[in-house]
Amino acid sequence: MGTSAITALREIILGVVRYTAQGQWKVLVLDQASKRLVDSVVKQDDILQEKVTNIEQIEHKRALNQDLDAVYLLTPEPHIVECLIMDFERRRTMDLFAPLVHEFTYQAMVHDLLPLKEGDKSYYKTILNEGTPREEVKEMELGEKDKIWVKNRHMHMKDLLQKLVADFNKFRADNPQFAENPEGPTSINTIKDMIAGLPQFQEGKELYSLHLNMSQELMNIFQKCRLTDVALVEQSMATGLDEDYKRPKNLTEQIVRLLDDDEVNLTDRLRLIIEYVLYRDGIFRSDMEKLLAHARLPPQDGEILQNLEMLGARVFRPLKDSKPTLQSLFPHKSPAAQATDDLSLSRFEPAIKSLLEEQVRGTLDQNLFPYTKPFLDATEGLMNQVNVSQASLRIAKPTWARTRPSALEPRQRLIIFMAGGATYSESRVCYEVSDSSEKDVYLTSSHMLHPGLFLRQLGELSVDRRRLDLPADRPRPKPPACLYEKDIATSNGSPQPPELTTGPPNTRSATNASASSGKAQPSQKPHPLPSPPFVVATPSTGKLSKGSKEKKRGFFKF
């Protein structure tokens, strides 16, 4: 008896529901299309028996339940993906500090502090050849083609300036033909060398000028906005430890002093208040009013603070609070050595780093991050290894002589998807873990976040959806109307190709015929026949006309 497709699909659906969340109680979330598919092959009672408390539809308004895991069976439609992202944003976030804390690596600082023109690509407007007759303002792209950017974007700012200057001096030394020479070129060969290397030299010179300007502007902002003092307080709240790796003291007084300081900009004041709320797991309403009075923030920022609850954070703490403080999934550990003054501003690491390191070591908690399929049995894995080791040397090259893996060999891959956006600090961590573990780590997300964008999107969580102009809410693109128009003869009177008709085969003639009557129109010139003769078939029958058959006989005669 053959296998039934319905039975196979039923087992697949129940298997996914059964093995997700490691046998814990959960909610099944479907969309309109996937629900119709599931209902056609599986009974709801069979699903509920797999420890499913409820079956919900993602397009419908649903109560938020943070205590249960969820299993999503969705169709890959754009509006369903948007619903999924919004659904994740309503659940507890794993790491709310990551998009708020100041990160002092080059790429993170550029996107946080500089006025970039961002879209599919990022551009920065800079001045080239400043102070010379060739001075110009130019928008330059920050992307993968910029080797200086790719090489240095994850470097800490304390090391970047010195390295950029050293690299630029080496670049000039490698191109001596372009050194400033008041007497001009001394030989024809020198001129030829200059002409040959001019495009590459000019491009390199502009790139070094761009990055030296950006890094200098970053340092100016760093000093002007008192980011050293801001970062020290941030690090204490994000890690729960001060620069001496002890429990921080007098944090409230330090925050109030920074909120009163006019050199600290409004955005940094808002970030400090949010981080303080997260650190304390909620504060009293009276304390919030005092902090807002010191910060002198605009009224709309109060909406941003309130919307933290939509991400699972507690904003206000009641006077009598019996709720225990939530423990972090990955508690911060004190390092063996004390941090230097420079590194004390960068003690915080995103939670994704601990997640990746535990995954590499094989110690990641399967209850918190369960497999979607049953884990390979240890004995089965051992048998597979034995079978591989017993492979014949005739079909496999000997490996005992190799001391280390070849660079061409594929490495194990780790793919991380961050729902709701990923930060540049998390991107930097993925590069670091990839280098240290010799594994390929891929970070994927709906978009990249910097603190300004995160705050704006946080404020939009309470805005009417119709005002947001979300891609899922826009009309779907349609083919242009010109594709539906009939072809019009060109003005020079060139004839159009003959049209195929659905009438009897013998109604076609060598002249243009009327589609309605089949009679020739004497006012029109005969359509010239192509050479060699062609075969005309009617769309309805596909048969050849009598004249066509006679012409076909001569097809292969020469």
Side-chain angles (χ1 to χ4, degrees), residues 22 24 48 74-75 86 88 91 119 123-124 131 138 231 238 278 303 312 319 335 337 339 401 404 430 475 484:
Q22 296 290 302
Q24 302 297 320
L48 296 176
L74 305 175
T75 53
M86 296 299 293
F88 281 172
R91 299 183 178 271
Y123 295 90
Y124 179 71
K138 185 177 181 179
L278 297 175
E303 192 88 5
L319 293 177
R404 56 184 178 182
C430 290
Y484 297 100

Side-chain angles (χ1 to χ4, degrees), residues 258-478:
L258 291 172
L259 296 180
D260 289 335
D261 194 331
D262 292 334
E263 293 184 349
V264 178
N265 62 48
L266 294 178
T267 301
D268 287 343
R269 298 179 206 176
L270 177 60
R271 289 162 71 171
L272 284 171
I273 295 178
I274 294 177
E275 290 160 348
Y276 183 66
V277 170
L278 297 175
Y279 168 69
R280 297 292 301 271
D281 191 26
I283 59 178
F284 299 135
R285 287 186 178 273
S286 58
D287 291 341
M288 177 67 78
E289 294 173 359
K290 294 176 183 177
L291 292 176
L292 292 176
H294 283 282
R296 293 156 289 164
L297 298 175
Q300 59 267 27
D301 286 350
E303 192 88 5
I304 295 177
L305 290 164
Q306 186 68 38
N307 289 349
L308 282 171
E309 295 184 352
M310 297 185 184
L311 300 183
R314 183 165 65 165
V315 179
F316 298 110
R317 179 191 295 269
L319 293 177
K320 294 183 179 180
D321 184 22
S322 58
K323 182 180 178 180
T325 303
L326 292 176
Q327 299 297 322
S328 174
L329 291 177
F330 303 101
H332 293 277
K333 300 177 181 179
S334 301
Q338 298 293 317
T340 63
D341 292 339
D342 294 327
L343 295 180
S344 64
L345 303 181
S346 304
R347 292 177 284 116
F348 169 76
E349 292 288 4
I352 191 176
K353 183 172 186 178
S354 299
L355 184 152
L356 287 171
E357 289 175 342
E358 292 192 14
Q359 173 65 23
V360 170
R361 292 193 298 264
T363 59
L364 189 63
D365 191 343
Q366 296 184 21
N367 293 322
L368 295 175
F369 300 92
Y371 291 92
T372 55
K373 293 183 179 180
F375 185 65
L376 183 67
D377 184 71
T379 57
E380 182 180 352
L382 183 61
M383 290 298 296
N384 289 337
Q385 293 178 3
V386 172
N387 293 335
V388 171
S389 64
Q390 292 178 352
S392 173
L393 291 180
R394 295 179 180 177
I395 59 175
K397 295 181 179 180
T399 59
W400 59 78
R402 291 185 298 180
T403 58
R404 56 184 178 182
S406 171
L408 299 178
E409 290 185 357
R411 304 197 300 180
Q412 184 182 8
R413 296 175 179 176
L414 302 176
I415 302 176
I416 306 293
F417 179 78
M418 297 292 292
T423 67
Y424 291 100
S425 61
E426 291 164 338
S427 173
R428 183 255 309 166
V429 161
C430 290
Y431 279 96
E432 293 175 350
V433 174
S434 178
D435 291 339
S436 62
S437 64
E438 295 186 352
K439 301 180 186 298
D440 292 330
V441 180
Y442 296 92
L443 176 64
T444 61
S445 184
S446 54
H447 58 288
M448 294 302 294
L449 280 174
H450 55 79
L453 177 59
F454 175 74
L455 293 175
R456 178 170 64 81
Q457 292 183 338
L458 183 57
E460 291 174 348
L461 289 179
S462 56
V463 175
D464 188 350
R465 184 185 180 103
R466 292 171 292 184
R467 294 172 50 192
L468 297 179
D469 189 31
L470 298 176
D473 298 336
R474 299 170 188 166
R476 291 192 175 184
K478 297 181 179 180

Side-chain angles (χ1 to χ4, degrees), residues 80-139:
I80 297 300
V81 175
E82 291 288 338
C83 292
L84 178 63
I85 293 175
M86 296 299 293
D87 209 44
F88 281 172
E89 289 178 350
R90 294 173 63 244
R91 299 183 178 271
R92 174 165 294 279
T93 304
M94 185 178 71
D95 188 2
L96 276 174
F97 276 106
L100 293 168
V101 173
H102 283 84
E103 165 91 357
F104 295 119
T105 51
Y106 187 33
Q107 184 181 37
M109 289 188 73
V110 166
H111 286 274
D112 185 8
L113 303 179
L114 295 183
L116 298 183
K117 180 182 177 182
E118 297 194 87
D120 294 335
K121 298 180 180 179
S122 298
Y123 295 90
Y124 179 71
K125 185 181 294 185
T126 188
I127 300 176
L128 301 177
N129 304 313
E130 188 173 3
T132 69
R134 295 178 297 166
E135 179 177 317
E136 64 172 324
V137 178
K138 185 177 181 179
E139 282 190 346

Side-chain angles (χ1 to χ4, degrees), residues 41-59:
V41 296
V42 185
K43 296 180 180 180
Q44 287 196 7
D45 290 342
D46 295 338
I47 296 177
L48 296 176
Q49 289 178 4
E50 303 295 340
K51 289 192 174 183
V52 174
T53 61
N54 194 21
I55 301 176
E56 302 176 352
Q57 192 165 328
I58 197 168
E59 300 99 329

Side-chain angles (χ1 to χ4, degrees), residues 131-359:
T132 69
R134 295 178 297 166
E135 179 177 317
E136 64 172 324
V137 178
K138 185 177 181 179
E139 282 190 346
M140 300 189 65
E141 179 186 348
L142 302 175
E144 299 300 315
K145 295 181 180 179
D146 184 345
K147 295 181 180 180
I148 301 175
W149 172 254
V150 172
K151 185 178 180 180
N152 299 299
R153 58 187 169 187
H154 299 303
M155 182 173 290
H156 198 280
M157 279 299 297
K158 69 180 180 63
D159 304 318
L160 179 67
L161 273 175
Q162 294 180 350
K163 186 174 186 301
L164 283 178
V165 172
D167 289 348
F168 180 63
N169 290 334
K170 183 178 183 300
F171 173 73
R172 294 183 61 184
D174 293 340
N175 296 271
Q177 67 272 28
F178 296 103
E180 298 294 337
N181 187 358
E183 299 179 359
T186 58
S187 67
I188 296 297
N189 291 332
T190 303
I191 296 176
K192 289 182 178 180
D193 293 340
M194 291 178 65
I195 294 175
L198 183 60
Q200 182 179 0
F201 177 82
Q202 186 64 26
E203 180 183 1
K205 183 179 178 182
E206 290 184 355
L207 289 177
Y208 275 109
S209 178
L210 166 69
H211 292 289
L212 287 170
N213 290 346
M214 286 200 306
S215 57
Q216 186 60 54
E217 181 63 21
L218 289 174
M219 295 308 299
N220 294 339
I221 296 173
F222 181 86
Q223 296 171 1
K224 178 181 177 181
C225 297
R226 296 193 58 184
L227 291 186
T228 300
D229 298 330
V230 172
L232 283 174
V233 175
E234 280 186 334
Q235 294 292 317
S236 297
M237 292 188 291
T239 63
L241 301 170
D242 61 16
E243 57 267 30
D244 297 323
Y245 296 95
K246 298 179 181 178
R247 185 177 179 84
K249 299 179 180 179
N250 305 321
L251 268 181
T252 305
E253 290 79 1
Q254 297 178 49
I255 292 175
V256 169
R257 283 198 297 270
L258 291 172
L259 296 180
D260 289 335
D261 194 331
D262 292 334
E263 293 184 349
V264 178
N265 62 48
L266 294 178
T267 301
D268 287 343
R269 298 179 206 176
L270 177 60
R271 289 162 71 171
L272 284 171
I273 295 178
I274 294 177
E275 290 160 348
Y276 183 66
V277 170
L278 297 175
Y279 168 69
R280 297 292 301 271
D281 191 26
I283 59 178
F284 299 135
R285 287 186 178 273
S286 58
D287 291 341
M288 177 67 78
E289 294 173 359
K290 294 176 183 177
L291 292 176
L292 292 176
H294 283 282
R296 293 156 289 164
L297 298 175
Q300 59 267 27
D301 286 350
E303 192 88 5
I304 295 177
L305 290 164
Q306 186 68 38
N307 289 349
L308 282 171
E309 295 184 352
M310 297 185 184
L311 300 183
R314 183 165 65 165
V315 179
F316 298 110
R317 179 191 295 269
L319 293 177
K320 294 183 179 180
D321 184 22
S322 58
K323 182 180 178 180
T325 303
L326 292 176
Q327 299 297 322
S328 174
L329 291 177
F330 303 101
H332 293 277
K333 300 177 181 179
S334 301
Q338 298 293 317
T340 63
D341 292 339
D342 294 327
L343 295 180
S344 64
L345 303 181
S346 304
R347 292 177 284 116
F348 169 76
E349 292 288 4
I352 191 176
K353 183 172 186 178
S354 299
L355 184 152
L356 287 171
E357 289 175 342
E358 292 192 14
Q359 173 65 23

